[in-house]
Amino acid sequence: MKLTADRMYVFPDHFFAGLNTRIRELQAQGRDVIRLDIGSPDLPPEPQIIEALKRSAERPNSHGYQPHQGLLSLRQAWAKMYQRLYQVDLDPEAEVLPLLGSKEGIFNLVMSSVNPGDVVLIPDPGYLTYNAATLFAGGEPAFMPLTIEHRFLPDLQAIPKQILRKAKMMWLNYPNNPTAGVADLDFFTKVVDLARDNELLVCHDAAYAQVTFDDYQAPSILQVPGAKDVAVEFNTLSKSHNMAGWRTGVIVGKGEVIEQLHALKTNIDSGQFLPVMEAAVSALNGDQAWLDDRNLVYQERRDTVLKYLAQLGLDAQISKASLYVWCSIPEGWRSAEYAAMLLKGAEISLTPGDIFGAHGEGYVRIALTVPRSRIEEAMRRMNNAVQVIGG
Ligand SMILES: Cc1ncc(COP(=O)(O)O)c(C=O)c1O
């Protein structure tokens, strides 16, 4: 009996599953692998957030199913955050829906919006879930190259007219994973105009909007007047508040789209654990000054990486935001080989750029999610490996 549905075969191999196995094997041999591959924050959230979780979990009536829309106080807290950071008004009843992490919402939004054959515009390189969900829904991905020449923004003029006519949805993600590129409001304004002219839904993934350096502030697409008519934005506490394992995110913006996602989710999940929601309220409403200190930690790590990469003669942009440095590899290497060489020869794990799409070839992504001393150790090892192997 064949137990796997045909639609399961649309997924490409999951790179990180294979990598975890290889790393476990190395660790079993007693090797000390430095992981600069996955973007999971290594620092904890503020103690008051954990206190809020504990207080709530200790109440006997905190353990039942919760409404799919989540707590009103949580929707209000997200709306307040959008008001505070972006001066964007959101209706907590119709324009805000909490998610079990933004990944869940990204996947399910594609499920609730895309019909077989619908074209979906996806950045290349890009976060893998946009493509995986599109394929699972039977949609047709149309990739928008992100190149250094266009500052890792899609060239909107270069999208072929016939693709635009057929496209239903466009995915964007700024600050960007994996390139660390950023978008300004002028770019978002052009996107909103394009969406209006072509009846496109724009889905902006703002997962890294609050991980920013050097006084940079990332805008929200919803700051563009009228954006709510054509756009939704995903947000999450995973990176912004060091809460990746808690699984708490949100979708905000165009109400009709959010209502469809809500309808789908009533068939899939059964709401979010109340203590997680109450802690999320505390995270969003509490003092945010600690985020600046945390961002300084990442900024120092970024500077350390950049300093060593420059010594190695490798080209990387100065990331203004995100958890990553996107680094060109030497000519003659392919990303996968280069990353494999560093894992084998130096026990450093980086993410090869090509796993994010064809335009990621020629790059590796370095995550800033380990302490600076470990980054320094990794960079020293990289230097030695490159001297020996000639990379
Ligand atoms: C661009 C991007 N979007 C979304 C996510 C998912 O975040 P969450 O933890 O909210 O599901 C990630 C996680 O790495 C990401 O890089």
Side-chain angles (χ1 to χ4, degrees):
M1 187 173 48
K2 186 167 166 257
L3 292 173
T4 307
D6 292 344
R7 76 175 81 83
M8 287 296 289
Y9 296 103
V10 302
F11 293 130
D13 282 346
H14 197 268
F15 168 77
F16 287 104
L19 181 68
N20 286 337
T21 309
R22 277 199 298 287
I23 290 178
R24 266 198 306 275
E25 285 163 7
L26 287 169
Q27 287 167 336
Q29 297 162 18
R31 319 260 290 269
D32 169 33
V33 179
I34 304 181
R35 296 201 65 165
L36 305 176
D37 51 79
I38 211 152
S40 184
D42 59 319
L43 299 166
E46 267 286 279
Q48 46 111 4
I49 300 172
I50 296 168
E51 281 309 315
L53 177 89
K54 280 196 211 155
R55 267 199 312 278
S56 178
E58 278 165 4
R59 286 201 316 266
N61 60 351
S62 286
H63 303 275
Y65 290 122
Q66 297 297 316
H68 287 93
Q69 267 200 307
L71 291 177
L72 176 61
S73 59
L74 178 55
R75 285 179 270 125
Q76 285 168 333
W78 279 112
K80 244 200 256 169
M81 187 197 97
Y82 266 77
Q83 183 51 241
R84 186 173 68 235
L85 291 182
Y86 310 118
Q87 297 76 54
V88 165
D89 285 327
L90 292 171
D91 173 0
E93 292 296 349
E95 295 174 335
V96 181
L97 180 67
L99 302 169
L100 307 173
S102 59
K103 184 176 189 176
E104 175 266 300
I106 290 167
F107 197 96
N108 283 327
L109 182 75
V110 174
M111 290 301 124
S112 65
S113 313
V114 171
N115 281 319
D118 283 347
V119 170
V120 178
L121 292 158
I122 296 175
D124 167 13
Y127 181 57
L128 298 176
T129 303
Y130 317 137
N131 187 37
T134 300
L135 295 174
F136 206 64
E140 288 180 22
F143 292 104
M144 302 181 293
L146 306 187
T147 62
I148 191 159
E149 292 76 24
H150 276 94
R151 294 179 296 118
F152 301 113
L153 299 167
D155 181 354
L156 300 176
Q157 312 269 15
I159 304 171
K161 291 278 170 296
Q162 73 276 17
I163 300 269
L164 262 184
R165 265 198 302 276
K166 281 171 46 190
K168 178 156 199 182
M169 178 182 262
M170 173 190 277
W171 284 94
L172 292 172
N173 160 224
Y174 292 98
N176 184 254
N177 176 14
T179 67
V182 294
D184 58 18
L185 264 186
D186 186 46
F187 172 76
F188 282 147
T189 304
K190 290 188 181 117
V191 169
V192 168
D193 287 346
L194 185 85
R196 204 176 284 118
D197 293 347
N198 293 279
E199 294 184 28
L200 270 181
L201 173 68
V202 180
C203 303
H204 180 237
D205 175 357
Y208 298 90
Q210 289 193 74
V211 183
T212 56
F213 317 128
D214 305 323
D215 296 327
Y216 171 71
Q217 287 188 322
S220 160
I221 197 169
L222 298 184
Q223 285 172 280
V224 178
K228 273 196 278 183
D229 297 338
V230 294
V232 288
E233 186 161 88
F234 287 86
N235 220 308
T236 171
L237 297 182
S238 291
K239 325 282 176 173
S240 67
H241 290 68
N242 300 348
M243 293 166 70
W246 295 53
R247 315 310 302 132
T248 181
V250 76
I251 177 173
V252 297
K254 191 175 172 67
E256 257 174 272
V257 174
I258 291 178
E259 181 44 39
Q260 286 312 314
L261 174 59
H262 175 232
L264 174 64
K265 277 167 62 62
T266 60
N267 291 286
I268 295 180
D269 64 62
S270 298
Q272 185 160 37
F273 187 37
L274 181 63
V276 169
M277 288 196 279
E278 293 192 330
V281 172
S282 161
L284 289 163
N285 287 345
D287 185 359
Q288 306 291 303
W290 70 280
L291 302 186
D292 296 337
D293 299 337
R294 188 277 318 275
N295 285 348
L296 272 181
V297 173
Y298 286 137
Q299 188 178 311
E300 283 171 10
R301 294 175 180 178
R302 176 206 64 177
D303 291 342
T304 306
V305 169
L306 291 174
K307 182 181 86 185
Y308 282 92
L309 292 179
Q311 286 172 12
L312 283 166
L314 295 177
D315 254 357
Q317 302 296 300
I318 302 173
S319 315
K320 286 188 181 165
S322 85
L323 289 177
Y324 311 109
V325 170
W326 187 236
C327 172
S328 297
I329 59 171
E331 297 247 339
W333 286 89
R334 297 188 69 82
S335 301
E337 289 167 355
Y338 195 71
M341 176 275 284
L342 288 174
L343 182 57
K344 190 155 175 269
E347 286 140 24
I348 317 165
S349 177
L350 309 177
T351 308
D354 64 322
I355 73 151
F356 300 105
H359 286 82
E361 182 54 82
Y363 289 90
V364 286
R365 190 190 73 174
I366 302 174
L368 304 171
T369 46
V370 302
R372 192 158 71 166
S373 57
R374 291 290 277 170
I375 289 181
E376 279 177 344
E377 167 67 14
M379 292 291 140
R380 273 195 294 271
R381 288 191 202 171
M382 188 162 165
N383 192 17
N384 292 342
V386 167
Q387 304 294 333
V388 173
I389 299 164

